[in-house]
Amino acid sequence: MGQYKFILSGGGTGGHIYPAIAIAYELKIRFPDAEFLFVGAKDKMEMQKIPQAGFQIRGLWIAGLQRKISLQNLMFPLKLANSLWKAKKIIKEFNADVVIGTGGFASGPLLKMASMMGIPTVIQEQNSYPGITNKLLSKKADVICVAYENLERFFPKEKMILTGNPVRQDLIDIESKRVAAIEYFNLDATKKTLLVLGGSLGARRVNQLIEKELENIQNQNVQVIWQCGKLYYDDYKKYNSNSVQVVAFIERMDFVYAAADIIISRAGASSVSELSIVGKPVIFIPSPNVAEDHQTKNAKAIVDKKGALLLKESELETEFSLVFEALLKDKGKQNQLSENIKHLAMPLATKQIVDEIVKLIRNK
């Protein structure tokens, strides 16, 4: 069998990084002697997060195109050429058996060069509306693992496999962790806990909403764990109190989900997949500032099956307090949302994706 070598790339946001790490961990379980290398974009969060997860990473000098005319855009062709050259060098030196991309700037040059060099490539697309990089790469990719149905208009149908998104395996059975989680976060077991998730970098509009509604939420005997993101932590840490915990980042996601009774979240693909497995009542507030409004599409896939509530940013001023209070008081509604969202979960996604990778390398 020999010793397999895997190159993975996913970066820019937690939504691309954590699926790549989940896939790597599952591969490591199956092939303990395998070698792993991650490739990311210099100066992006993957350069810290991947080594923290125990893997090596190399950085490419790459960034995305800005929507407005800028110096960065003028540099783009140079950065792309440099990244393609460096990606080729990395693949050759490492002698990869397969290259796996979960999205982010660096995965473009890496997968492009791998397919040109005849090395099997796998794309894992998290969203219901793929980004431009994956659409371009899909023509040459060997396998495309998707999390949503009806993506034939973007990808070649014969290459697509519906797997769901890879999630941390420690989220599979969180109910058993509830007592430990309440202790870990030093919560009051007699109160309801609201968890607010703004993504790894934070969500400005969600933070503004919680700041405005905080007193009203606390008055309803609710305690809050508020993940405001590292960009905003200095603005909101002043609200820390006995019943409010403001944090930039949450290390123990399994515990925070176990402790939560109601969750307010953006609708990035990884968050939606995690929340389906967690099975708590969720109010999605999709970011309107993403390509093709894909967060709204991600959330609607759940909401249309009565698995969550959705509030647009434009509705927050008028609707939020009414929706939140109604959900808080209605135990039946909470249970219904929990049950329905759980039916949409795909807990075996990581294992299925790795099954596909194994098939590819065994058929090489």
Side-chain angles (χ1 to χ4, degrees), residues 10-19 44-46 49 102-105 126 199-201 270:
T13 68
H16 293 314
I17 296 168
Y18 296 118
K44 291 290 179 185
M45 66 186 280
E46 59 264 30
K49 297 293 175 199
T102 60
F105 300 140
Q126 294 104 37
S200 43
L201 300 174
S270 287

Side-chain angles (χ1 to χ4, degrees), residues 22-286:
I23 292 167
Y25 280 152
E26 179 64 26
L27 282 164
K28 207 172 173 59
I29 291 166
R30 302 219 200 161
F31 306 109
D33 298 333
E35 284 183 48
F36 294 85
L37 179 65
F38 278 73
V39 175
K42 281 180 179 172
D43 308 325
K44 291 290 179 185
M45 66 186 280
E46 59 264 30
M47 301 310 286
Q48 280 84 48
K49 297 293 175 199
I50 299 296
Q52 282 168 13
F55 296 102
Q56 284 182 301
I57 187 165
R58 304 270 301 271
L60 300 181
W61 186 46
I62 187 76
L65 282 164
Q66 306 297 307
R67 291 185 185 191
K68 51 188 186 296
I69 295 167
S70 69
L71 181 62
Q72 269 181 299
N73 279 357
L74 295 174
M75 295 290 281
F76 182 76
L78 181 62
K79 286 185 175 184
L80 183 61
N82 178 279
S83 295
L84 287 164
W85 172 79
K86 193 166 179 192
K88 184 178 181 179
K89 196 163 172 274
I90 290 169
I91 295 165
K92 216 169 176 179
E93 281 172 11
F94 189 71
N95 193 20
D97 289 291
V98 63
V99 176
I100 302 141
T102 60
F105 300 140
S107 67
L110 186 76
L111 270 79
K112 172 82 176 149
M113 288 316 299
S115 58
M116 282 174 73
M117 293 163 77
I119 291 162
T121 59
V122 176
I123 291 172
Q124 194 272 317
E125 173 56 63
Q126 294 104 37
N127 288 296
S128 56
Y129 198 101
I132 189 160
T133 307
N134 278 355
K135 279 190 260 186
L136 291 171
L137 292 169
S138 69
K139 294 174 179 60
K140 295 276 191 262
D142 292 278
V143 175
I144 305 157
C145 296
V146 297
Y148 291 90
E149 292 168 339
N150 308 317
L151 295 189
E152 293 81 7
R153 64 191 193 278
F154 306 115
F155 296 142
K157 192 176 178 177
E158 67 283 0
K159 294 180 180 182
M160 273 196 304
I161 291 156
L162 182 68
T163 58
N165 280 323
V167 297
R168 308 162 223 240
Q169 295 302 293
D170 59 2
L171 303 182
I172 304 289
D173 174 31
I174 56 160
E175 277 316 303
S176 62
K177 301 180 182 181
R178 187 167 170 90
V179 174
I182 285 169
E183 196 178 313
Y184 178 86
F185 286 105
N186 202 18
L187 296 165
D188 180 342
T190 65
K191 289 183 171 182
K192 290 278 190 195
T193 301
L194 170 67
L195 169 62
V196 181
L197 297 173
S200 43
L201 300 174
R204 188 169 63 98
R205 191 66 192 86
V206 174
N207 287 334
Q208 289 169 342
L209 169 76
I210 299 305
E211 180 178 42
K212 176 175 165 282
E213 298 286 344
L214 200 54
E215 197 175 332
N216 183 28
I217 291 167
Q218 289 170 272
N219 287 343
Q220 294 172 78
N221 203 27
V222 174
Q223 57 202 342
V224 183
I225 299 177
W226 176 7
Q227 185 258 318
C228 63
K230 64 177 187 178
L231 297 179
Y232 301 99
Y233 181 68
D234 288 340
D235 299 335
Y236 296 106
K237 63 184 179 187
K238 62 187 176 199
Y239 292 108
N240 268 309
S241 69
N242 286 341
S243 60
V244 179
Q245 296 181 44
V246 182
V247 293
F249 186 78
I250 298 165
E251 291 294 341
R252 289 298 305 261
M253 287 306 291
D254 57 335
F255 273 8
V256 85
Y257 284 136
D261 294 293
I262 292 175
I263 300 171
I264 292 170
S265 177
R266 284 300 204 199
S270 287
S271 300
V272 173
S273 298
E274 285 189 358
L275 291 165
S276 302
I277 283 170
V278 166
K280 298 285 175 90
V282 181
I283 300 171
F284 284 119
I285 304 173

